[in-house]
Amino acid sequence: MQWSTTRFQIDLSAPRVMGIVNVTPDSFSDGGRHADAPAALRHCERLLKEGADILDIGGESTRPGSPPVPLAEELARVLPVLREAVRLGVPVSVDTYKPGVMQAALDLGADIVNDVWALRQPGAAEAVARHGACGVCLMHMHGDPRTMQSAPMAGDAVPQVLLFLEQSAQNLRRLEVEKTRIVLDPGIGFGKTVAQNFALLARQDELLAAGYPLLAGWSRKSSIGAALQGDAPVPPAAAERVAGSVAAALMAVERGARIVRVHDVRDTVQALAVWRQVRAQARR
Ligand code: HH2
């Protein structure tokens, strides 16, 4: 199984680690840490040293309640980073829902469009289709970042997420986007309750039925915080959720996810190295 992207055919026979680079002042776990281009590039280089296979660069936080960022501001944040990152020798993804940012990033040579809106903004699907070669990650989100946690989805999330992802992929296929360019993502934390998020992991095999590679983004999310909280009055801070996040990433891979999107690349790569050894000894 391969993910076709602009410059790279990403081999998904082994799980791949997508390292998160947030060029934002306000991301929920690392906001402000890599908010200018030199700091973001240093972070890219560090993630690569730690074993990241893909870099995912974003300029607008999607944390619950986050305000939208104007197009010009998002371009000013991400383009200087993307311009250099595409020289680092690995696939580079742009995390955006704005067609203007997608187009500019693709013009600079970005390999993948990662869209939490699954290309639902007018012109986004066309930008990806027109390019003809970039990879794309279609993510499920219920509602929008301003409202999603106050009004999460109702009922059994798994079939609803599956249906949405299948339809999003079909819409793109209708624009003649090759199947091998598409990856799907259940959108952990995007308008779902804690129980719904964990159901999406427990029953991830049902999502695989769509027939596309799956990307899972559990890193430091509030469901991990909720699982770790125990009797404490508040959940642990995002940076204190590393081991819990690695556990979720590992379980996602064990249940068939091909790409994990993470902040803590070194820890995740270590966990996957152990997973790989066990896997190599498993009976076929
Ligand atoms: N999660 C976030 C952002 N982009 N993209 C995909 N495909 N899957 C995800 O789960 C996902 C995503 C949110 O995490 P983060 O980028 O760390 O935070 P913020 O949006 O606050 O910058």
Side-chain angles (χ1 to χ4, degrees), residues 191-209:
K192 292 137 189 139
T193 64
V194 172
Q196 286 169 335
N197 287 319
F198 283 113
L200 287 163
L201 179 50
R203 293 160 54 201
Q204 198 179 256
D205 59 324
E206 292 175 43
L207 303 178
L208 295 175

Side-chain angles (χ1 to χ4, degrees), residues 153-213:
M153 58 197 299
D156 184 354
V158 181
Q160 298 179 63
V161 169
L162 174 61
L163 183 64
F164 171 88
L165 292 175
E166 283 175 334
Q167 287 175 346
S168 303
Q170 266 165 25
N171 291 342
L172 204 50
R173 301 273 288 123
R174 270 189 219 110
L175 297 178
E176 294 183 4
V177 172
E178 288 287 320
K179 188 173 184 197
T180 54
R181 293 171 60 192
I182 302 171
V183 159
L184 304 180
D185 179 343
I188 300 306
F190 286 83
K192 292 137 189 139
T193 64
V194 172
Q196 286 169 335
N197 287 319
F198 283 113
L200 287 163
L201 179 50
R203 293 160 54 201
Q204 198 179 256
D205 59 324
E206 292 175 43
L207 303 178
L208 295 175
Y212 290 86

Side-chain angles (χ1 to χ4, degrees), residues 205-225:
D205 59 324
E206 292 175 43
L207 303 178
L208 295 175
Y212 290 86
L214 215 65
L215 183 151
W218 280 90
S219 191
R220 302 184 178 190
K221 291 214 171 132
S222 59
S223 288
I224 301 291

Side-chain angles (χ1 to χ4, degrees), residues 18 20-24 26-31 56 58-64 66 95-96 114-116 137-140 184-190 215-221 261-263:
M18 174 184 264
I20 301 171
V21 182
N22 284 322
V23 198
T24 58
D26 58 347
S27 285
F28 79 93
S29 90
D30 55 357
D56 187 38
E60 174 173 330
S61 173
T62 54
R63 75 180 197 291
S66 60
D95 183 353
T96 189
N114 170 29
D115 185 1
V116 299
C137 177
L138 302 173
M139 196 198 80
H140 175 271
L184 304 180
D185 179 343
I188 300 306
F190 286 83
L215 183 151
W218 280 90
S219 191
R220 302 184 178 190
K221 291 214 171 132
R261 182 180 179 277
V262 305
H263 300 89

